[in-house]
Amino acid sequence: MSLEQQLVIEENFSKAFNKESLRESLNSADFEVYEKALKVLEFSKGDVVFDDGDSPKGVYFIEKGTAKLSKSGVYGKDQILRFCKDNDLIGYRSLLCGENFQAKAEAMTPLKVQFLPSDVFLHLLEVDSKLSYAMLQKIAYELGESANTVTFLAQKTVRERLAEILILLEQKLGTDPEGFIKISLTREEIANLIGTATESAIRLISEFKQDDLISVEGRNIKILNRDKLIKLGHVVI
């Protein structure tokens, strides 16, 4: 999916799932229930929003900050599934499936979220067709992203995967005023994302730096030659 299509889906959801839109879509009684149930929660960097195996109590709409979803593998090693940012909704999949959380959500930065209890969220989906359609679009998009991840890990070399993940992180999370991708990742986390050993990730990052593809300051990475990375990673924008 192109970046433009992705942004349209994200915008449609954020427009449907906000107080002003719901005020217009809902009757006064339903809106009052929603407004009273809505809670604003704050998490510090490293805090767990919900854990793998927990029973869903509601959904979490990220107002500000970045979180990661990860799952522990058979040998106890965490696998990063994806990153979530402003205007992302997390916790809904397990709720809709009627199962416990299948992943852990952890704050990568100070995080401010809107929490909506399960019963209220499910009722909103029943009575608000605009929100329901936006959710269907969001679910379809994320299902497509999961399919892309399988191809990404199965068919691309580690070098190609690193090039692609850097482009996708910049696309998803944006950059700070100095041009660095808005997330600070350890070398182990980068290795986790591209499916390789930490030592291999360290070597590849060093090679990318020597080739003037990226600039590195500690855990922060800036893309210097986006076109070459796109070509190297066979990334479709």
Side-chain angles (χ1 to χ4, degrees):
M1 176 178 290
S2 70
L3 175 59
E4 183 178 352
Q5 290 172 304
Q6 175 188 333
L7 292 175
V8 168
I9 289 174
E10 290 178 354
E11 184 179 358
N12 286 345
F13 181 77
S14 62
K15 283 182 177 179
F17 195 67
N18 70 73
K19 186 172 289 189
E20 293 310 312
S21 175
L22 292 170
R23 190 192 304 274
E24 295 177 3
S25 302
L26 303 175
N27 61 45
S28 57
D30 284 337
F31 182 76
E32 184 178 357
V33 170
Y34 156 77
E35 196 170 32
K36 286 183 177 179
L38 188 67
K39 295 180 180 178
V40 175
L41 306 176
E42 296 190 5
F43 299 90
S44 299
K45 181 179 178 180
D47 285 352
V48 173
V49 180
F50 56 77
D51 212 345
D52 191 350
D54 286 351
S55 176
K57 300 295 191 296
V59 295
Y60 304 79
F61 180 77
I62 300 177
E63 194 172 310
K64 186 173 180 59
T66 303
K68 71 174 179 181
L69 295 181
S70 63
K71 185 171 180 62
S72 182
V74 290
Y75 299 109
K77 182 178 179 181
D78 281 351
Q79 174 65 49
I80 298 173
L81 303 177
R82 63 187 175 96
F83 294 102
C84 308
K85 60 177 178 56
D86 300 6
N87 298 322
D88 274 340
L89 186 72
I90 56 176
Y92 68 85
R93 195 202 65 81
S94 295
L95 174 59
L96 293 176
C97 289
E99 63 183 16
N100 290 341
F101 286 124
Q102 300 297 299
K104 176 174 70 174
E106 181 181 343
M108 297 290 289
T109 66
L111 200 64
K112 184 177 181 181
V113 304
Q114 297 176 11
F115 172 78
L116 196 62
S118 304
D119 58 340
V120 179
F121 176 68
L122 293 174
H123 182 66
L124 291 183
L125 292 180
E126 290 179 2
V127 299
D128 189 340
S129 59
K130 183 179 177 181
L131 176 61
S132 297
Y133 181 69
M135 276 298 306
L136 284 174
Q137 282 189 310
K138 181 175 178 61
I139 293 169
Y141 163 69
E142 291 181 0
L143 182 60
E145 288 300 288
S146 296
N148 289 340
T149 299
V150 172
T151 304
F152 167 85
L153 291 172
Q155 298 184 4
K156 293 192 174 184
T157 67
V158 178
R159 187 176 178 84
E160 290 169 339
R161 295 201 295 265
L162 178 58
E164 179 170 358
I165 204 67
L166 291 175
I167 292 294
L168 295 180
L169 285 174
E170 183 188 63
Q171 179 179 300
K172 170 76 174 177
L173 303 175
T175 57
D176 65 18
E178 295 181 354
F180 289 93
I181 298 172
K182 282 185 179 177
I183 193 166
S184 178
L185 296 174
T186 66
R187 299 299 183 261
E188 184 178 3
E189 286 172 326
I190 292 174
N192 183 301
L193 284 169
I194 62 176
T196 192
T198 303
E199 295 78 11
S200 297
I202 292 171
R203 187 187 69 252
L204 281 171
I205 290 169
S206 179
E207 290 176 5
F208 278 24
K209 184 179 178 181
Q210 289 173 4
D211 293 339
D212 293 325
L213 297 174
I214 62 174
S215 172
V216 179
E217 288 187 8
R219 295 183 179 181
N220 300 311
I221 296 177
K222 179 196 296 186
I223 292 176
L224 298 179
N225 196 323
R226 196 166 184 268
D227 290 340
K228 281 191 175 181
L229 279 182
I230 289 172
K231 185 176 181 180
L232 173 60
H234 306 289
V235 184
V236 178
I237 299 297

